[in-house]
C-alpha cells in the first residue's frame, strides 16, 4: 500500500532563512508527487507537482527515487509562506491521492 | 466560475442524527472526491466518483454513503453520526486525461462536530 510521511508537524524559521519541508513516500509503482498548500482561511491548493519541474513562489521540489523523497525547498523564507503544507502521492489512473500528515510552516519576522 | 462549493460551512449534530453534505463544481470535471481532515493525519479519502452515476470507496468509507446523480454534484451522507466523525470535510474535483493525473481543486471545507 502507498504511504506518505511528513516527519515534522511544525517547522519554525526566521524570515530570510532557508526552508526544507521533508516528505518521504512508499509506493511500489511509478510515483507522481505533489505539494499542496493551505494558507490561513483559504482552501487547499496545488503548489507544485514533480512532473512539471517548475518553481512556484520560489519553492522547488526534486523527486529522489533512490531515497523515496520529495522534499520541498525554498532558499529564503517569507512571512507569507506561513501555511500548512501537504505532500501527496498519486497512485492510480483514477487520480487518487494519498496525503501526508502535513507540516505547519511558521515564518517569524 | 465559483469552482468547488460546499454546503453547509458548519454543522453541529447530536450522536445518531443524519445529514447530507453537498458538493458542487462548475468546471465540468468527471472526477469528484470526499476527504476528511483530522489533525496530524492529513486528508484521507472517504469516497470518490469517476463519473455521473458511479461511486467507489476510498480509504475510510465506513459510516458514510455518497451519491453522484448529476455530474456537477457529489453528496456525502452520514446516516447515524458518531463523535468519531467530528472532522473537517473537503470535497475536490479534477479533470483527468486518460491514463494521467491532474490537479485536484478543493472546496472550502465543512466543519462538522458530532456531540
Amino acid at each position: 500500500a502507498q504511504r506518505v510521511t511528513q516527519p515534522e508537524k511544525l517547522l519554525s524559521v526566521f524570515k530570510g532563512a532557508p526552508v526544507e519541508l521533508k516528505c518521504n513516500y512508499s509506493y511500489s509503482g511509478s510515483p507522481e508527487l505533489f505539494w499542496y498548500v493551505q494558507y490561513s482561511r483559504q482552501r487547499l491548493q496545488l503548489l507544485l507537482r514533480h512532473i512539471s519541474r517548475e518553481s512556484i513562489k520560489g519553492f522547488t521540489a526534486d523527486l529522489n527515487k533512490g531515497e523515496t523523497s520529495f522534499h520541498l525547498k525554498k532558499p529564503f523564507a517569507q512571512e507569507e509562506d506561513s501555511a500548512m503544507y501537504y505532500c501527496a502521492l498519486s497512485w492510480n489512473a483514477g487520480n487518487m491521492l494519498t496525503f501526508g500528515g502535513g507540516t505547519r510552516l511558521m515564518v517569524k519576522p | 466560475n465559483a469552482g468547488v462549493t460546499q454546503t453547509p460551512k458548519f454543522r453541529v449534530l447530536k450522536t445518531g442524527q443524519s445529514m447530507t453534505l453537498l458538493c458542487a463544481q462548475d468546471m465540468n470535471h468527471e472526477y469528484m472526491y470526499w476527504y476528511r481532515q483530522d489533525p496530524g493525519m492529513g486528508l484521507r479519502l472517504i469516497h470518490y466518483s469517476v463519473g455521473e452515476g458511479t461511486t467507489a470507496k476510498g480509504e475510510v468509507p465506513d459510516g458514510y454513503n455518497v451519491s453522484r446523480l448529476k455530474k456537477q454534484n457529489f453528496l456525502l451522507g452520514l446516516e447515524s453520526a458518531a463523535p468519531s466523525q467530528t472532522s473537517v470535510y473537503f470535497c475536490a474535483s479534477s479533470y483527468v486525461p486518460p491514463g494521467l493525473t491532474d490537479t485536484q481543486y478543493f472546496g472550502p471545507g465543512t466543519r462538522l462536530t458530532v456531540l
Side-chain angles (χ1 to χ4, degrees):
Chain A
Q2 64 288 344
R3 186 184 179 102
V4 178
T5 303
Q6 294 178 249
E8 304 133 332
K9 285 187 166 51
L10 173 65
L11 186 61
S12 183
V13 301
F14 285 102
K15 177 182 174 181
V19 170
E20 182 178 72
L21 288 80
K22 291 184 167 53
C23 172
N24 290 91
Y25 67 90
S26 63
Y27 180 53
S28 57
S30 182
E32 286 204 49
L33 277 296
F34 300 78
W35 277 98
Y36 280 82
V37 61
Q38 189 174 26
Y39 300 102
S40 179
R41 295 188 180 85
Q42 294 187 28
R43 61 187 69 192
L44 199 66
Q45 58 188 288
L46 178 70
L47 180 63
L48 56 81
R49 55 189 300 189
H50 90 270
I51 63 171
S52 60
R53 303 184 66 83
E54 56 187 346
S55 172
I56 306 295
K57 298 185 178 181
F59 285 98
T60 59
D62 290 320
L63 178 60
N64 186 324
K65 292 186 178 181
E67 295 183 358
T68 60
S69 69
F70 188 55
H71 303 327
L72 184 67
K73 300 177 183 179
K74 185 169 183 176
F76 307 103
Q78 303 298 315
E79 290 182 68
E80 55 266 29
D81 296 329
S82 295
M84 194 75 181
Y85 291 80
Y86 291 98
C87 183
L89 167 73
S90 180
W91 49 272
N92 72 11
N95 209 41
M96 302 305 118
L97 290 177
T98 293
F99 284 85
T103 298
R104 180 167 297 282
L105 175 64
M106 292 179 57
V107 181
K108 298 177 286 188
Chain B
N1 288 350
V4 180
T5 58
Q6 292 181 231
T7 310
K9 288 186 170 53
F10 304 94
R11 186 71 186 269
V12 178
L13 292 179
K14 294 182 180 178
T15 297
Q17 286 185 318
S18 64
M19 78 163 294
T20 300
L21 282 69
L22 171 64
C23 175
Q25 53 95 3
D26 60 3
M27 296 176 282
N28 202 35
H29 287 164
E30 290 290 339
Y31 288 66
M32 296 187 75
Y33 317 82
W34 275 107
Y35 295 90
R36 58 177 290 171
Q37 181 188 44
D38 301 293
M41 304 187 74
L43 280 77
R44 292 179 292 168
L45 184 65
I46 305 171
H47 285 280
Y48 64 99
S49 168
V50 300
E52 181 179 319
T54 69
T55 63
K57 294 180 180 180
E59 184 184 356
V60 288
D62 294 341
Y64 304 95
N65 58 75
V66 288
S67 64
R68 183 97 181 268
L69 298 179
K70 293 182 179 180
K71 185 177 182 178
Q72 63 268 32
N73 295 338
F74 195 28
L75 278 63
L76 178 71
L78 286 72
E79 289 187 351
S80 180
S84 60
Q85 294 178 304
T86 294
S87 188
V88 181
Y89 291 86
F90 287 98
C91 176
S93 71
S94 68
Y95 165 70
V96 183
L100 299 176
T101 61
D102 208 343
T103 305
Q104 290 190 14
Y105 295 87
F106 284 81
T110 295
R111 187 174 294 275
L112 174 66
T113 301
V114 183
L115 303 175

